[in-house]
Amino acid sequence: MSWLFVVAGGMAGAPLRYLVDRAVRARTGPAFPWGTFAANILGCLVLGVLTGAAVQGAAAEPVRLLVGTGLCGALTTYSTLSYETVRLAESGARLLAAANAAVTVAAGLAAVLAGTVAAEALRG
C-alpha cells in the first residue's frame, strides 16, 4: 500500500516540475537552465522541511512517502541537470556549465539545511 503514496506524490511532482520550469523560463529565457535550477532547489527546500519535521516526529511515514519520495523525487531532476550542463559545455559555455553544476549542488545542500533548520525551529 505504501507505493500508492509514492505514485500519488510523483503524479503531483512531475507536472509541478514542468510548470515551474516553464514559468521560470518564460521570465528568464532559454540561455541558462534557470527553470531546472528552480525546480531542484524548491524540491530540496521541501525535502529539508520534511526532514526537519520527521526528526521532530511531526511527519508520519505516509507523508514522507507522499511528499519526500513521490513529490520531491519527481520534482527534482538530476538527469535534466546533467543533460543541460553537458549542453552548455558543448555549446562552448564551459564556465556556465561548471557554474550550473556547482551552484545547483551547493544551493541544493543549502536549501535542505535551511528547510531542516526552519522545520526544527518551528517545532521547537
Side-chain angles (χ1 to χ4, degrees), residues 2-3 9 15 24 31-32 41 45 47 51 56 59 62 65 73 76 92-93 97 107 121:
S2 297
W3 65 274
V24 171
F32 188 82
I41 302 312
L45 181 62
L47 190 58
T51 300
Q56 299 296 320
L65 291 170
T76 59

Side-chain angles (χ1 to χ4, degrees), residues 13-123:
L16 181 58
R17 175 168 65 96
Y18 176 79
L19 293 172
V20 167
D21 181 60
R22 292 298 164 231
V24 171
R25 281 183 190 247
R27 288 182 166 75
T28 63
F32 188 82
W34 289 113
T36 301
F37 177 82
N40 283 335
I41 302 312
L42 176 61
C44 288
L45 181 62
V46 170
L47 190 58
V49 170
L50 178 66
T51 300
V55 166
Q56 299 296 320
E61 181 67 11
V63 174
R64 292 194 306 260
L65 291 170
L66 178 76
V67 177
T69 305
L71 182 102
C72 291
L75 174 59
T76 59
T77 172
Y78 188 77
S79 59
T80 303
L81 165 66
S82 300
Y83 171 74
E84 290 173 343
T85 300
V86 167
R87 280 194 39 217
L88 283 169
E90 288 176 345
S91 72
R94 290 199 169 104
L95 185 57
L96 276 179
N100 185 41
V103 171
T104 299
V105 170
L109 291 171
V112 168
L113 178 61
T116 303
V117 169
E120 289 173 356
L122 289 173
R123 184 85 171 152

